[in-house]
Structures are given as C-alpha cells and as structure tokens.
Amino acid sequence: MKRLDQVREDDLVRELIRHLPAGAGTLLGAGDDCAILKPKLGSYLVYKTDCIVEGVHYLAEDRPALVARKALCRNLSDIAAMGGVPRWALVTILSPPEKPVRYWTAFYRGLGKTAQRFGLGIVGGEVSRSRQAAISVALIGELPENRYVTRMGGRAGDRIFVTGKLGGSFASRRHLTFTPRLKEGQWLAEQRFATAMMDISDGLGSDLPRLARLSRCGYSIMPESLPRHRGCTIEQAIRDGEDYELLFTVPPRRVAELREKWPFTKTPLTEIGALTRSTASKIPAGFDHFFHCQPAEKKAS
Amino acid sequence: MKRLDQVREDDLVRELIRHLPAGAGTLLGAGDDCAILKPKLGSYLVYKTDCIVEGVHYLAEDRPALVARKALCRNLSDIAAMGGVPRWALVTILSPPEKPVRYWTAFYRGLGKTAQRFGLGIVGGEVSRSRQAAISVALIGELPENRYVTRMGGRAGDRIFVTGKLGGSFASRRHLTFTPRLKEGQWLAEQRFATAMMDISDGLGSDLPRLARLSRCGYSIMPESLPRHRGCTIEQAIRDGEDYELLFTVPPRRVAELREKWPFTKTPLTEIGALTRSTASKIPAGFDHFFHCQPAEKKAS
C-alpha cells in the first residue's frame, strides 16, 4: 500500500482530479494556475469557505468518501442558508505524508460523487503536507439578483422556524450523511418568506443568538416545541450542533401561508419561538448554561 | 499574553475581521453564512486556492504580517499568470490552541494591509484548531471576456520568457516580500503577446515541463541566459522555486514588438529558450537531475 510520500505530486494530482466533475459554466477546470468560470449574466455570487480537521470534525476511521461528503455538504448548507445555487468548489487537502494514497483516492471518488449529486463543479485545489489531516473547501454559488436572505433581516415579532429535527448528530453519524437544505433555502428566499436565515452548525444554542444579535432583536423559544431526533433530550437539541438544518424567521402575517404552501413533505417545519424587542433575551429557565456555552466544534481551542 | 484557547470564537472573529477591507462589489462581507458579491457584468471569473503550512512554507519565527502577505501573494501570483484582476478572498487559519492571540491579530493586520494594497476584498474565512498552523486562501479574480492566458497555448517555435530574476528566494526571504506580477500579467494577456503563461512557484525546473507538457511541446533552454539574483548559481535559478515570476511564451514574429513595447522598466524581461516540436525535451547537459527533481516545497511528503 503506497504512502503519499512515495508518489510524485503531479502524478497524484492527475490521478485525483480524474474523479471530479468540472461543472456547468466552467471554461477551464483543475490543472492550470486558476480555473476560469462564466457566471450567469447578471447573477450575484455567494462565496463561502469551511474546513474540517481530523480528530476535531471527523475521525481518522471514518470512511473517506463520507469525510469528503461532509467537507462539501457543510459549505452547501451555508449556500442553502442564503438561498443560493451551488456552482464551483476548490478543495485543499492537508495530509500527513504517511497516509496511504488509497485513502485520498477514495476521498476524491466520494468528492466527485457528492459534487455530481448537487450539480457542483470541482475546479481546482491544492495538496500539502501537515502533521494533522484537514480539508478546506471554498465554494461559489449563484443567486438570482436580490433574492438572498441574510442573518440581519429579522424583526421583533417574527416567528422562528427550523427545518428537520435537532440533536444527536455526531453520535448518530448524521454529521457525515446529512442532506443540505438547498431546495428549502432556495424556495424560502424565492418566495420571500424568510426575513433572516442561517444554518445550524454549532447548535441552536450558539447559532440563534448570532441571528438575533445581527437582527438587533432578542428571542424567546419554547424548549418543548423543539423538533428532536429520536432519543434526544431538549438539551441535546439545543447544544449538540452539526444539525445543518435551516433556522429562519417569518413575519407573523405570513406564517399561515408558509404552512400551507410548504412543498417539502419530507422536511418537517417547526415553529419554535419568536424574535423579541428586548435584546436581553428571555432564555428559558434551565437552559442558560447551554445558551452561553462555546461551540465545542468550531472553537479554536 | 492571551492564548487562542482563552478567548471566545465569536469575539476573536469580530476582533480579526475589523482589519479587513470588504472590497468593491461586495454586497455582504464577512460575518454571515456566505459573502454576497456582484461581479462586473459580463466578466469571467478566475478562481484559485493555495495554502501555506508552518514549518513547510514559512517558519514559526517569521513576522505574522509577512506570513499573511505571502499567503495572499501566492494566490495573487496565480491570478497574475492568467491575466486576471484580483477581487475577493476568503482566508482560513488553522492554529494550535496555544498560539498567542497577538500572533493572529498581527497576522490579520498584515492581511488587511496587503489586501488594501492590491485592491482585494477579504469577505470571509474560518478559524479552526490543528496541531500545525496553516493558512488557506481562496481567491476570485475577474477577467474581461476572453482575455486570459492558460498553460496550454504554446506552440513549437514560441520563445520562452521570464520576468524578473530567479533563485535564492527562501534564503533571501524574498519568498515573504515578493510582488506578484499582476500588472505585467494583465498587460501580457490584454496585448495578446503570451500564448501560454504560468507563475514560477516550484522552480523553473518543475514548472517549465508542466507548461510544455500542457502545450504538447518540448523545450530547449539556454542555462547561461537565466536571469539570476545576485549570488545565485544557474542551478539555484532552476531549482530553488518560490520565485513568483511569470514564465510565458511568445510567437517569434512578436518578440521584437514585445521588447519594444514592454512598459515595466523595473521588471527585467529575459528570453531563456524556446518551445520545441519534440516532446522528448533537450534538457541542457548537466541539468537533467534538476529538471526531474520534485518540488521540495509543494510535495505532500
């Protein structure tokens, strides 16, 4: 079994990029100094980077194809939260030299498969050595002009919603297999239901305060209303993170219409509370220690 | 002196992004799920990522502002090699938790300064922990439609040129302070002098064969013609790498015109050889061991 330091970089890169779809609108893909892309005329770009580190965001024994899937899907989840359509990714791998080449070929095969599924081109990247393996992804998406949702647009009184269910993502390994809510995010932006939106990556307890702060509001949630994965406590639904569900706010006068028109029969839609005028938020009794805890997962510590 | 693991991620990120210019055409910068960008109508995008690892591409004792400069300028050099105009960057830092916060604030101050100098917006990023520090940058540039130069367009007989001088970059610390050849690259693309172009990052001995291979040509160089930094041998000029000069090819009938019109009086322009028909290249006697050596610097080993 060959190790990474037993092959030539150019040969390795050539072998790896074989698995990658170039994507639509790609005039020049991986292999030159830069990729050349042709965005749709008049569209805006959404642009995001995210990285995962072995031993922090995934384990050395996780299947490489699933690690690749997670590396892409975390970024896709952010694109979803703006209502964007994913287009082009760059993927950098940092690897200890003793990792088997086989690990990274399996990783790239998974990368290609996931990219294909979400209509994404992978148009370049980088390989470098490091003591700890890590994967960094940068992603460009597109937006029809003016149809995007930030974290800042929420107003006091707006109802807070989440898609799907929360809690237990790491333990159940859902963090490797979740489906980013792209269609839901695009629909919410297009139909202009969401006044503010973000994805839940660090946990509701960390992410909701961020959305509220940027919307200059407080929030009040009903803990018992939180949609939970089987076997998860309210505490886990608030704290675990890695849910990759959408968290968004809707003006009260549009809530009935949202419920009526929601076309995603397989994606639960749950009202969990409301934004409030007071920025000194009403944190449900007993949960303040979660609402103030640091996200274990993204914290640089 | 505070360590990275003694501050909250949100506070750290807020402190760091204060130093960053958002750049022109940025509708929404760092701080949301994604950045939102408005490219110039009808322009193409150039898209590139590159990463540097502590102990591989720079040293722990190098000034953080210069490390930041290098992290951006390596990418800018690739944008230059396509004839692109840099626009928006995302910057990810991986850091051991015990690094002082002060290191990264100095890094971001340097990042802001370099971005400003090159008219670049820094519109997002990511912070994560890792045993070995590393910085990953993704960069979007713009191109006027159809005016870009790849590595593939060279033809047998085209003369090979380099800008500036080669060799000794790491030893002289020029690898931290070089100026990416953006204006030169844009001019060469715009005036359509260059049939193929790339930047020299791994060393002429590694990079020229790549350009030749993609242009389906061989090459012949005159070693004694190589422009060298003071004190450097021909060997070093071929092998050292990290020059970040432009390597490009020009049809013979346009060489005189190029020399006459070259407007960059401070940037030496040197003809070093020609592309040849034979793909079994004439490697100058005595240098074949360099032409086949792996780039020390980017190799995943």
Side-chain angles (χ1 to χ4, degrees):
Chain A
M1 195 159 61
K2 269 196 180 162
R3 295 156 34 124
L4 215 51
D5 54 359
Q6 291 164 330
V7 292
R8 286 172 53 115
E9 187 201 8
D10 285 6
D11 297 339
L12 175 67
V13 169
R14 232 170 307 168
E15 163 61 22
L16 295 180
I17 65 182
R18 274 196 322 124
H19 303 290
L20 304 179
T26 303
L27 303 182
L28 186 68
D32 215 296
D33 292 275
C34 301
I36 307 282
L37 313 172
K38 191 176 166 42
K40 289 209 183 87
L41 205 66
S43 70
Y44 286 16
L45 307 179
V46 265
Y47 190 27
K48 170 72 187 179
T49 192
D50 189 75
C51 92
I52 58 176
V53 177
E54 191 176 283
V56 181
H57 306 88
Y58 68 95
L59 306 173
E61 56 269 32
D62 287 332
R63 275 177 47 208
L66 290 182
V67 174
R69 190 182 195 285
K70 178 170 185 177
L72 284 185
C73 285
R74 270 170 68 105
N75 276 276
L76 291 172
S77 182
D78 284 302
I79 300 282
M82 310 297 288
V85 179
R87 299 297 306 274
W88 304 285
L90 301 170
V91 178
T92 294
I93 60 177
L94 296 177
S95 174
E98 63 275 12
K99 272 243 193 232
V101 171
R102 203 168 74 175
Y103 180 92
W104 291 114
T105 45
F107 177 94
Y108 269 79
R109 227 176 287 121
L111 206 60
K113 217 172 124 187
T114 301
Q116 204 98 52
R117 173 168 168 195
F118 293 103
L120 187 65
I122 299 188
V123 297
E126 161 86 325
V127 177
S128 192
R129 66 182 142 154
S130 175
R131 285 198 291 280
Q132 190 168 8
I135 300 113
S136 177
V137 174
L139 216 158
I140 298 177
E142 284 185 328
L143 283 169
E145 268 196 52
N146 278 326
R147 293 281 179 92
Y148 60 89
V149 190
T150 70
R151 298 178 179 182
M152 294 178 286
R155 274 161 303 188
D158 284 359
R159 301 297 185 253
I160 304 170
F161 281 82
V162 292
T163 59
K165 298 174 182 179
L166 308 179
S169 178
F170 211 85
S172 66
R173 299 170 56 78
R174 263 190 303 278
H175 76 108
L176 293 171
T177 59
F178 70 92
T179 299
R181 301 298 192 188
L182 284 161
K183 289 205 169 54
E184 291 86 345
Q186 287 157 13
W187 185 84
L188 285 164
E190 199 184 283
Q191 302 281 321
R192 301 181 190 269
F193 278 113
T195 50
M197 182 153 62
M198 71 184 294
D199 76 322
I200 307 179
S201 55
D202 291 336
L204 185 69
S206 298
D207 289 333
L208 177 55
R210 290 176 180 148
L211 183 146
R213 190 177 55 78
L214 285 172
S215 292
R216 297 167 190 276
C217 288
Y219 54 87
S220 166
I221 69 156
M222 304 165 287
E224 55 298 326
S225 72
L226 294 180
R228 290 174 275 148
H229 277 289
R230 192 182 296 239
C232 286
T233 63
I234 291 177
E235 192 178 314
Q236 288 172 314
I238 291 176
R239 190 181 52 179
D240 282 356
E242 301 252 358
D243 299 303
Y244 305 105
E245 294 294 348
L246 295 176
L247 172 69
F248 59 98
T249 56
V250 179
R253 59 179 172 79
R254 299 207 62 198
V255 165
E257 187 192 350
L258 168 66
R259 285 194 194 286
E260 195 185 312
K261 290 194 173 162
W262 182 251
F264 308 100
T265 49
K266 288 180 180 167
T267 309
L269 176 71
T270 312
E271 187 177 334
I272 62 165
L275 292 180
T276 60
R277 203 168 304 273
S278 157
T279 53
S281 288
K282 286 170 216 130
I283 291 157
F287 292 98
D288 59 325
H289 52 301
F290 304 124
F291 275 79
H292 289 103
C293 89
Q294 279 278 80
E297 184 273 304
K298 280 188 75 185
K299 190 173 136 196
S301 63
Chain B
M1 194 160 61
K2 269 197 180 159
R3 295 157 34 127
L4 215 52
D5 54 359
Q6 291 164 331
V7 292
R8 287 172 53 114
E9 188 201 7
D10 284 6
D11 298 339
L12 175 68
V13 169
R14 233 171 306 169
E15 163 61 23
L16 295 181
I17 65 181
R18 276 196 321 124
H19 303 290
L20 305 178
T26 302
L27 303 183
L28 186 68
D32 215 296
D33 292 274
C34 301
I36 307 282
L37 314 171
K38 191 174 167 36
K40 289 210 183 87
L41 205 65
S43 70
Y44 287 15
L45 307 178
V46 265
Y47 190 27
K48 170 72 187 179
T49 193
D50 190 74
C51 92
I52 59 176
V53 177
E54 190 176 283
V56 181
H57 306 88
Y58 67 96
L59 306 173
E61 56 269 31
D62 287 332
R63 274 177 47 208
L66 290 182
V67 175
R69 189 183 196 286
K70 178 170 185 177
L72 284 185
C73 285
R74 271 170 68 105
N75 276 276
L76 291 172
S77 182
D78 284 301
I79 300 282
M82 311 296 288
V85 179
R87 298 298 306 275
W88 303 286
L90 301 171
V91 178
T92 294
I93 60 177
L94 295 177
S95 174
E98 63 275 11
K99 273 243 192 228
V101 171
R102 203 167 77 173
Y103 180 92
W104 291 114
T105 44
F107 176 94
Y108 268 78
R109 226 176 289 122
L111 205 59
K113 217 173 123 188
T114 301
Q116 205 97 51
R117 172 167 168 196
F118 293 103
L120 187 65
I122 298 189
V123 296
E126 160 87 323
V127 177
S128 193
R129 66 181 141 155
S130 176
R131 284 198 292 281
Q132 190 168 7
I135 300 113
S136 176
V137 173
L139 216 158
I140 298 177
E142 285 185 327
L143 283 170
E145 268 195 52
N146 279 325
R147 292 281 180 92
Y148 59 90
V149 190
T150 70
R151 298 179 179 181
M152 293 178 286
R155 273 162 302 188
D158 284 359
R159 301 297 186 251
I160 303 170
F161 281 83
V162 293
T163 59
K165 298 174 182 178
L166 308 178
S169 178
F170 210 86
S172 66
R173 299 169 54 79
R174 262 191 304 278
H175 76 108
L176 294 171
T177 58
F178 69 93
T179 299
R181 300 297 192 189
L182 284 161
K183 289 205 169 53
E184 292 85 345
Q186 287 158 13
W187 185 84
L188 285 164
E190 200 183 283
Q191 303 282 318
R192 301 182 190 269
F193 278 113
T195 50
M197 181 154 64
M198 71 184 294
D199 75 321
I200 306 178
S201 55
D202 291 337
L204 185 70
S206 297
D207 289 332
L208 176 56
R210 290 176 180 148
L211 183 146
R213 190 177 54 80
L214 285 171
S215 292
R216 296 166 191 276
C217 286
Y219 53 87
S220 167
I221 69 157
M222 304 164 286
E224 56 298 324
S225 72
L226 294 181
R228 290 173 275 149
H229 278 289
R230 192 182 298 237
C232 286
T233 63
I234 291 176
E235 195 177 311
Q236 289 172 313
I238 291 176
R239 190 181 52 178
D240 282 355
E242 302 251 358
D243 299 304
Y244 305 105
E245 295 294 349
L246 296 176
L247 172 69
F248 59 99
T249 55
V250 179
R253 58 181 171 77
R254 299 207 62 198
V255 165
E257 187 192 351
L258 167 65
R259 286 194 193 284
E260 194 185 314
K261 291 194 173 163
W262 182 251
F264 309 101
T265 48
K266 289 179 180 167
T267 309
L269 176 72
T270 313
E271 186 177 335
I272 62 165
L275 292 180
T276 61
R277 201 168 305 271
S278 157
T279 54
S281 288
K282 285 170 218 133
I283 292 156
F287 292 98
D288 57 327
H289 53 300
F290 304 123
F291 275 80
H292 288 104
C293 88
Q294 279 278 78
E297 186 271 303
K298 280 188 75 185
K299 192 174 136 195
S301 65

